[in-house]
């Protein structure tokens, strides 16, 4: 931020108040785009990102870690450089990642969409919006997960809805993207009657005692919004 000589980071913290306005410039190297292209770039803000429950006085994130997005246009006067280099530090905690697409069933609607708060959705109304879910070892979690004596944790993220809608799906640990086989973002193009599914197995031995985890789905088009799942605390008892 503001200077080409500073470290690359995926999250920058700014202290603001009602009487204070913060101005800054992002300095980065695009990893996609050809000369003449005009692509979308989404900047996402997170409220109070440094907050983390301590499992003594607090056990959840409450209204913290909510997201606010701003989508801008980025025009390319030159091709972006060809590179698979990660700019900024990524995390490597996944033991395995699998991506699949399955037919949507009434059981999926009732057992996953409805349980994740998507009431009133039917097979006939799926195309009218975009719906996502996330579960941990098959359970819906809102606040924290105790990983003590657990070797692995399976995260399942699904997204479905308006056909043709495109998203980039990434997982984050302590606000750093999680990489697996040099991939930090998974492309999802929604198709009629199907649900896009990604499952990732976390190796808990690679985690510290307290960690913030969430997933982000970044929309590729203007008519869809970016979605961040609620932050979850992954912790181990001392």
């Amino acid at each position: 931020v503001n200077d080409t000589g500073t470290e690359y980071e995926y999250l920058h913290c700014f202290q603001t108040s009602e009487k204070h306005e913060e101005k800054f410039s992002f300095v980065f190297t695009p990893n996609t785009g050809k000369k003449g292209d005009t692509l979308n770039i989404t900047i996402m803000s997170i409220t109070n990102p440094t907050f983390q429950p301590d499992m003594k006085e607090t056990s959840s994130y409450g209204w913290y870690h909510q997201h606010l997005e701003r989508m801008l246009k980025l025009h390319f006067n030159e091709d972006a450089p060809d590179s698979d280099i990660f700019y900024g530090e990524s995390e490597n905690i996944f033991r395995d990642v699998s991506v699949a697409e399955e037919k949507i069933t009434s059981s999926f609607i009732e057992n996953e969409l409805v349980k994740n708060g998507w009431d009133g959705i039917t097979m006939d109304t799926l195309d009218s919006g975009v719906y996502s879910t996330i579960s941990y070892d098959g359970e819906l979690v809102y606040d924290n997960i105790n990983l003590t004596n657990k070797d692995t944790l399976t995260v399942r993220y699904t997204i479905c809805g308006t056909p043709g809608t495109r998203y980039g799906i990434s997982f984050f640990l302590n606000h750093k993207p999680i990489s697996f086989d040099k991939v930090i973002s998974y492309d999802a193009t929604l198709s009629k009657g199907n649900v896009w599914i990604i499952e990732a197995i976390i190796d808990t031995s690679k985690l510290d005692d307290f960690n913030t985890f969430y997933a982000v789905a970044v929309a590729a088009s203007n008519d869809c919004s970016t979605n961040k799942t609620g932050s979850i605390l992954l912790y181990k008892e001392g």
Side-chain angles (χ1 to χ4, degrees):
V1 168
N2 295 334
D3 184 358
T4 57
T6 57
E7 292 293 324
Y8 272 94
E9 295 180 279
Y10 286 95
L11 177 78
H12 301 270
C13 294
F14 300 97
Q15 294 292 334
T16 61
S17 65
E18 293 180 1
K19 298 181 180 180
H20 177 70
E21 183 178 272
E22 182 78 32
K23 294 183 179 180
F24 53 90
S25 299
F26 286 118
V27 183
F28 65 98
T29 301
N31 65 357
T32 188
K34 297 295 184 181
K35 183 177 180 179
D37 285 349
T38 299
L39 304 179
N40 294 327
I41 178 171
T42 298
I43 299 169
M44 190 172 77
S45 302
I46 298 177
T47 56
N48 200 5
T50 58
F51 174 81
Q52 191 176 67
D54 58 13
M55 293 308 295
K56 294 178 181 178
E57 296 182 2
T58 56
S59 60
S60 70
Y61 293 84
W63 285 103
Y64 293 145
H65 289 221
Q66 301 297 309
H67 75 282
L68 177 67
E69 65 177 290
R70 176 73 189 276
M71 184 179 288
L72 305 171
K73 295 292 184 181
L74 186 64
H75 182 74
F76 288 78
N77 295 320
E78 301 291 341
D79 291 355
D82 292 329
S83 175
D84 58 359
I85 298 174
F86 288 161
Y87 292 98
E89 186 179 352
S90 62
E91 298 286 352
N92 181 20
I93 63 168
F94 287 159
R95 183 175 295 182
D96 191 26
V97 174
S98 61
V99 175
E101 195 173 40
E102 298 178 0
K103 288 291 184 183
I104 295 175
T105 63
S106 55
S107 175
F108 171 79
I109 293 176
E110 295 170 5
N111 295 325
E112 295 203 45
L113 291 185
V114 172
K115 286 185 177 180
N116 276 265
W118 299 111
D119 293 326
I121 303 300
T122 66
M123 295 292 288
D124 296 328
T125 61
L126 272 174
D127 293 350
S128 61
V130 175
Y131 314 97
S132 61
T133 74
I134 190 167
S135 61
Y136 301 86
D137 280 349
E139 300 293 331
L140 189 60
V141 179
Y142 295 104
D143 40 30
N144 60 75
I145 300 175
N146 187 346
L147 297 179
T148 307
N149 299 322
K150 285 178 64 71
D151 294 330
T152 63
L153 177 70
T154 299
V155 180
R156 172 184 163 97
Y157 181 91
T158 76
I159 188 167
C160 61
T162 307
T165 307
R166 295 186 298 118
Y167 281 89
I169 315 295
S170 297
F171 297 99
F172 287 79
L173 185 77
N174 300 323
H175 307 299
K176 297 175 184 177
I178 302 171
S179 62
F180 182 78
D181 285 346
K182 296 184 177 181
V183 177
I184 61 174
S185 180
Y186 299 85
D187 295 329
T189 300
L190 306 188
S191 57
K192 187 175 180 64
N194 294 320
V195 54
W196 188 91
I197 303 168
I198 182 170
E199 285 194 349
I201 301 176
I202 296 175
D203 183 347
T204 63
S205 68
K206 296 183 178 181
L207 294 176
D208 294 330
D209 290 343
F210 284 79
N211 303 272
T212 297
F213 182 91
Y214 55 86
V216 174
V218 181
S221 58
N222 294 326
D223 53 352
C224 294
S225 60
T226 292
N227 173 264
K228 172 189 172 296
T229 64
S231 292
I232 299 295
L233 179 71
L234 306 180
Y235 75 99
K236 300 175 184 178
E237 294 179 333

